[in-house]
Amino acid sequence: MAVSKKKQRAVLGGNPLNQGIFSKTTSDRVEDSEEIKNQDSTIKNKESRFLKKAERESVNLRLPIEINDWLNDLLKQGKRKHGQKIPKEVWVQAALEMFKAMPVDWAEIESVEGLQEALEGLELKLKEME
């Protein structure tokens, strides 16, 4: 005697999307999604121009909790106020670009203490400029 195999059915019934209870997307929705895609590509183009180089290297970064929380808050505020957020990696790169532009010979710093002294010196120079 052969064992018959029945086709298994979903316990909750058929897929409601296959039953025709939903209407197709209207052209307005398509235009909205295309506009969102255009905005996303514009943001990516701005980022790529800022990042300058086509090749980027992935690095792991450890930040103090206070700095990371501040950065996350900055991203959230930017999203709320401007409708888009600048990625964290772009903020970190911008900070390093500013760091690089400072009038300090970073290659001459030998220790964490030396780095702290250099930063304190920069802070004093900035205060004098005010």
Side-chain angles (χ1 to χ4, degrees), residues 8-64:
Q8 291 186 351
R9 293 181 42 189
V11 177
L12 298 177
N15 184 348
L17 297 175
N18 294 335
Q19 296 174 3
I21 60 173
F22 295 99
S23 61
K24 292 184 177 182
T25 305
T26 64
S27 62
D28 292 340
R29 293 258 187 225
V30 173
E31 290 171 7
D32 289 345
S33 66
E34 288 175 6
E35 186 177 325
I36 290 170
K37 287 179 186 176
N38 289 341
Q39 288 175 351
D40 289 344
S41 66
T42 301
I43 292 167
K44 288 178 183 174
N45 288 340
K46 287 179 183 176
E47 290 171 12
S48 63
R49 279 186 292 228
F50 175 78
L51 294 174
K52 295 179 185 174
K53 296 180 181 177
E55 288 186 34
R56 292 180 286 173
E57 187 173 343
S58 178
V59 296
N60 290 329
L61 202 57
R62 294 176 192 234
L63 298 172

